[in-house]
Amino acid sequence: MKRLVCLFFVPLLAASLAAAQDVERVVILGFDGADAKLVERWMEQGKLPNLSTLRDRGSYAPILPPNPPQTPVSWSSFSTGLDPGETNIFDFLRRKEDTYIPTFAMMTESSRPFLWGERNALFLGPGAAIALGFVVWVVLMLAWARRSVALVAAVVLGVLALYPLYSMADRWVPTQVPDPINNRRGLTMWEAVSNGGGCAEVFRMPATFPPDSFQCGWMLSGLGVPDVRGRVGTPSYYTTDPEFIMDENKFSVEIFELPEFDDSAETEVYGPSTKELFPAREGEKEPRYPKRIDVPMLLARSGEREITVEVGSEKLTLREGEWSRWLEFEFVFNPVVKFKGSSRFYLTSAHPLRMNLLPINFHPADSPVPLTHPKDFAGKLFNRFGFFKTIGWVTDTWSLDQELFGEAAFLGDMYNTVEEDGAMLEAFLDEPESPRLYAQVFEFTDRIGHTFWRLLDPEHPRYDAELAERYGGEMLRAYQKMDEIVGGAMKKLDDRTLLLVVSDHGFGTWRYAVNYNTWLIREGYMTLFGMPSGPKNLEDLFGGGEFFENVDWSRTKAYAMGLGNIYINLRGREPKGIVSPGGEYETLRDEIIEKLEAWVDEETGLHPVHRVYRREDIYRSFDPNAPDLRAANRPPYRVSWQTSLGGAPKRLTESNNKKWSADHCSLDPELVKGILFSSRPIASPEPRIIDVYPTVLEALGLPLPDTPGKNVLASSS
């Protein structure tokens, strides 16, 4: 009997252990928004040769995103193996506790006292006076002055300097500093690798700001890192065009309308807010600082198609149709507090002036907030590679969608960023001492999907045959760039490396926008005082604007917020809740689900809503502020921007006349699958994004926490 056990079971166990141990390293290349339908079509047409080779040598399958299929939601589940209710990232936006106000889901703005906080001047002023007196005493003593003279002089100067030093400390020294909180929960795969004795390198992974701290490894934060103004991205537009009109500035682009000039014109670059470092004091008659720290800028005409820009110590000439080099901007709060930002200009036209400035990034080598782990890693990257974007939303989609620059400018910005990130990938894969886990996310496949899909869809309201002729191949070109990046990595990796190519979701065309608050009003679930409020923009979200300011909460049972979320105005949870928990709550949810799923758009004859989910149906556990219902659209519909910002336009559905022409955020995950390529065979025909986590840990022989996912690699035993 023992011989039978040895003959049959011991070899099986040894083979299983060998299979777990033959992977020394895992490399993950993430491509945000790479769509399974497009990848499969172009592989079959022979246009993605490297991905086809990876599929043939290993495997490929469409991958199911979480619910909802949004970038921060999906990558958070990828990183931890948990569903969105467990990661606490279930939308781009979430409701602030005990309010009806949305806030940024990935990160909570917070601050901590700097030194002694409000008592800084009380300690620093006298401390500096004592230090000054001591220096004077030492100098006089070294000059052989009498002890009594030296002491009297030191005391007198210290006393005289006390009030000026106190005043300077009171005005110049911050009382607090930003201390943002990453809201994502769960043990990440790089933390698990580090805890298991290995090292990890992670680049631009969404929902990693502030960056994770782990024992052995390096991280460059991704989506979630703000610009210097604390926003997702605030581009600026300078123009002298007298016919310039912007109907709806929903992305809060900073607009500078300048008078026409022959020689030069003075303007400015908007900088960071002062309130994070120097908040207004109670009873203060006049603020110590202006609202923002701006930088003066001089524009001068230097040629028929050129503009010279002078800002700070920087001076350069812009030519039409070209992106500038990187420029540094120094934001000086006072002689003590200052930091740098970096950005690029684009000149569309010199006459009339049409000039763009990308959102200003925190300078990699001079940032007041942590961009990397360890903190000095950003500076080391800068010394090695030069300038790179630090903002999480790295490509300026806002200016294209608002038609402040054209397709060529967008593509130039996008590929500039791809080259910067690609250089890092090549360099780190070439390093002799490889970490056990390397993960890098590229976002260009998502951004071009959002903005160029219209040129693949002749039925889209913004389809333009002339533009399609010129730029209709750019989606394929971007996917071929992805293929090129994968092929370059494949050449650098050996057989002991598991290579995974992953995307977090796919895409669906977006021709019509759904106004859920308008639907709730018409169905009697929401009541307003008077007419619906005007259009909302991101300034209302990030700049302290008002939401739902005309809602009669005493007669409102439900409201929509975020990208397809519906909240019940629940008694005991919402500030003015009227719906009782229990039977009334459940009956109301059932009623909304039935009506939404049966709803037919009278103008198209289509069902905008594919399915409505209860939160307990899609999450194992969840925060009380998780939405009660999630309405999942089907293409060609998506939740409207106004709904996501608390607005209630007049129409139930509206034509999407913007260049942001495809989406995934409010769609059903089954309809927007991503991609999963593996250099090893995949056993599961229907892998999920949450399955990548256990797959990586088990491949590296690491213990697996309690997660709903499973290892999808086929056993080699």
Side-chain angles (χ1 to χ4, degrees):
M1 188 65 182
K2 289 183 179 179
R3 290 191 65 188
L4 287 174
V5 170
C6 291
L7 284 172
F8 291 99
F9 290 99
V10 171
L12 281 175
L13 177 61
S16 177
L17 289 172
Q21 294 174 353
D22 70 349
V23 173
E24 294 181 347
R25 181 189 187 195
V26 175
V27 171
I28 302 173
L29 300 182
F31 293 92
D32 199 284
D35 181 72
K37 301 181 293 297
L38 293 182
V39 167
E40 291 166 9
R41 179 200 308 171
W42 287 330
M43 280 198 301
E44 291 307 309
Q45 294 174 357
K47 296 177 179 178
L48 303 176
N50 294 306
L51 288 171
S52 296
T53 298
L54 183 58
R55 174 197 60 188
D56 296 341
R57 292 178 182 175
S59 51
Y60 160 76
I63 194 168
L64 181 68
N67 199 343
Q70 299 173 16
T71 292
V73 178
S74 195
W75 287 115
S76 293
S77 290
F78 162 91
S79 301
T80 63
L82 302 174
D83 71 44
E86 295 168 305
T87 65
N88 198 38
I89 308 296
F90 41 75
D91 196 283
F92 271 95
L93 302 178
R94 58 179 287 122
R95 185 176 61 85
K96 287 184 181 178
E97 191 170 357
D98 299 325
T99 74
Y100 296 102
I101 306 298
T103 186
F104 198 39
M106 285 181 281
M107 178 267 294
T108 297
E109 291 185 3
S110 181
S111 61
R112 57 179 171 81
F114 178 68
L115 299 177
W116 301 278
E118 293 291 342
R119 296 178 294 171
N120 279 343
L122 185 63
F123 286 101
L124 294 174
I130 292 171
L132 176 63
F134 178 75
V135 170
V136 170
W137 180 78
V138 170
V139 170
L140 291 176
M141 289 298 292
L142 291 175
W144 303 102
R146 293 181 181 179
R147 291 184 180 180
S148 58
V149 172
L151 182 59
V152 170
V155 171
V156 169
L157 286 175
V159 170
L160 291 175
L162 178 59
Y163 180 74
L165 290 171
Y166 174 89
S167 298
M168 284 190 289
D170 184 55
R171 182 171 180 79
W172 291 353
V173 179
T175 58
Q176 62 182 37
V177 291
D179 189 27
I181 300 169
N182 189 333
N183 291 329
R184 191 206 62 237
R185 297 171 184 165
L187 180 74
T188 62
M189 64 175 70
W190 43 92
E191 290 173 314
V193 168
S194 180
N195 293 344
C199 292
E201 288 178 338
V202 185
F203 290 85
R204 296 207 187 280
M205 185 67 63
T208 55
F209 177 76
D212 300 321
S213 178
F214 44 104
Q215 296 177 40
C216 181
W218 304 264
M219 169 176 282
L220 171 63
S221 293
L223 182 65
V225 180
D227 62 14
V228 298
R229 301 196 62 203
R231 311 293 170 79
V232 176
T234 316
S236 298
Y237 181 67
Y238 301 81
T239 184
T240 60
D241 185 355
E243 298 181 0
F244 172 77
I245 297 175
M246 179 176 286
D247 294 330
E248 183 186 11
N249 189 4
K250 61 179 178 287
F251 297 122
S252 302
V253 179
E254 297 293 356
I255 304 297
F256 296 81
E257 294 188 67
L258 307 176
E260 186 57 66
F261 59 95
D262 294 324
D263 298 318
S264 63
E266 294 181 351
T267 182
E268 59 274 324
V269 172
Y270 281 175
S273 166
T274 57
K275 66 180 181 179
E276 282 75 22
L277 297 177
F278 301 96
R281 294 172 176 171
E282 188 175 350
E284 193 173 50
K285 294 182 179 179
E286 293 186 7
R288 290 169 293 165
Y289 287 89
K291 184 179 179 180
R292 293 183 314 268
I293 300 298
D294 300 334
V295 179
M297 181 167 65
L298 180 68
L299 304 178
R301 299 203 177 278
S302 55
E304 187 63 27
R305 296 186 176 183
E306 297 179 344
I307 290 288
T308 296
V309 175
E310 219 174 316
V311 53
S313 60
E314 299 270 21
K315 184 176 182 179
L316 81 162
T317 297
L318 301 176
R319 296 175 179 82
E320 288 183 351
E322 293 182 2
W323 281 101
S324 75
R325 60 173 172 83
W326 281 97
L327 280 84
E328 295 182 343
F329 303 88
E330 185 171 47
F331 302 104
V332 181
F333 290 74
N334 57 52
V336 174
V337 179
K338 61 183 77 173
F339 69 87
K340 292 180 180 178
S342 51
S343 188
R344 278 174 160 163
F345 285 97
Y346 182 85
L347 182 64
T348 298
S349 167
H351 294 279
L353 176 69
R354 298 190 187 99
M355 184 179 75
N356 297 79
L357 175 64
L358 290 176
I360 301 177
N361 293 237
F362 287 109
H363 193 293
D366 187 18
S367 173
V369 298
L371 305 170
T372 58
H373 168 77
K375 189 174 181 179
D376 65 353
F377 185 48
K380 292 179 179 178
L381 290 174
F382 177 70
N383 292 336
R384 182 173 180 181
F385 298 102
F387 280 104
F388 58 91
K389 290 182 180 176
T390 59
I391 191 174
W393 192 278
V394 295
T395 306
D396 180 8
T397 55
W398 319 128
S399 295
L400 178 66
D401 190 58
Q402 299 289 148
E403 306 197 44
L404 301 176
F405 61 38
E407 284 73 15
F410 172 86
L411 293 169
D413 175 39
M414 186 182 81
Y415 283 114
N416 285 339
T417 307
V418 173
E419 293 306 316
E420 291 167 0
D421 291 351
M424 291 185 188
L425 172 65
E426 289 187 22
F428 283 104
L429 289 184
D430 279 336
E431 289 191 337
E433 295 185 10
S434 303
R436 294 211 75 194
L437 173 67
Y438 183 95
Q440 182 167 350
V441 175
F442 293 82
E443 55 92 91
F444 68 97
T445 36
D446 177 90
R447 306 307 186 253
I448 198 168
H450 279 300
T451 54
F452 276 64
W453 199 282
R454 61 198 152 90
L455 303 181
L456 302 180
D457 179 10
E459 295 183 47
H460 196 280
R462 285 306 302 268
Y463 178 80
D464 183 307
E466 185 177 337
L467 282 177
E469 180 70 23
R470 186 175 180 184
Y471 294 108
E474 290 297 337
M475 284 279 288
L476 172 59
R477 179 188 169 205
Y479 276 58
Q480 288 177 322
K481 185 64 179 179
M482 171 178 66
D483 186 77
E484 177 188 322
I485 292 170
V486 172
M490 289 169 62
K491 293 176 182 178
K492 297 176 182 293
L493 304 179
D494 57 28
D495 293 337
R496 305 297 295 274
T497 298
L498 170 63
L499 172 63
L500 300 176
V501 178
V502 188
S503 73
D504 56 330
H505 57 75
F507 270 93
T509 191
W510 178 20
R511 302 175 197 153
Y512 307 102
V514 180
N515 293 314
Y516 282 114
N517 282 318
T518 307
W519 184 89
L520 291 169
I521 291 169
R522 293 197 182 185
E523 294 296 324
Y525 299 115
M526 188 179 198
T527 303
L528 303 183
F529 295 113
M531 297 296 293
S533 58
K536 300 288 185 180
N537 59 33
L538 288 181
E539 189 67 22
D540 292 307
L541 175 61
F542 296 107
E546 293 187 24
F547 281 76
F548 301 122
E549 64 269 22
N550 59 348
V551 175
D552 182 354
W553 295 110
S554 68
R555 295 191 294 161
T556 291
K557 294 182 178 181
Y559 59 99
M561 179 189 293
L563 295 165
N565 301 326
I566 295 177
Y567 291 83
I568 305 301
N569 193 22
L570 191 65
R571 182 177 288 115
R573 185 185 67 182
E574 266 76 357
K576 300 177 182 178
I578 64 170
V579 178
S580 298
E584 185 181 6
Y585 172 80
E586 296 299 345
T587 300
L588 178 60
R589 289 204 301 173
D590 291 344
E591 189 176 302
I592 292 174
I593 290 171
E594 182 180 355
K595 288 184 177 181
L596 271 177
E597 291 183 345
W599 172 35
V600 176
D601 182 356
E602 294 179 356
E603 295 188 12
T604 64
L606 301 174
H607 288 268
V609 178
H610 181 73
R611 183 178 173 188
V612 182
Y613 295 89
R614 297 172 180 85
R615 59 183 183 174
E616 63 269 22
D617 293 338
I618 51 179
Y619 307 139
R620 292 199 304 177
S621 62
F622 45 83
D623 186 278
N625 288 316
D628 299 290
L629 297 171
R630 182 182 174 261
N633 297 121
R634 57 161 58 91
Y637 291 87
R638 198 208 83 157
V639 62
S640 69
W641 290 116
Q642 287 304 302
T643 295
S644 67
L645 295 171
K650 293 181 181 180
R651 295 172 58 87
L652 276 177
T653 62
E654 299 174 304
S655 181
N656 177 25
N657 295 307
K658 294 294 185 179
K659 290 184 177 181
W660 187 288
S661 50
D663 216 287
H664 49 87
C665 291
S666 71
L667 301 187
D668 194 285
E670 286 283 353
L671 307 178
V672 283
K673 291 184 178 180
I675 59 173
L676 175 62
F677 288 84
S678 170
S679 58
R680 305 288 177 98
I682 298 173
S684 172
E686 297 180 342
R688 302 164 296 170
I689 196 77
I690 57 173
D691 294 331
V692 177
Y693 181 88
T695 299
V696 169
L697 295 194
E698 290 192 17
L700 294 174
L702 297 171
L704 185 64
D706 175 33
T707 68
K710 62 181 181 180
N711 182 358
V712 298
L713 290 185
S715 173
S716 60
S717 61

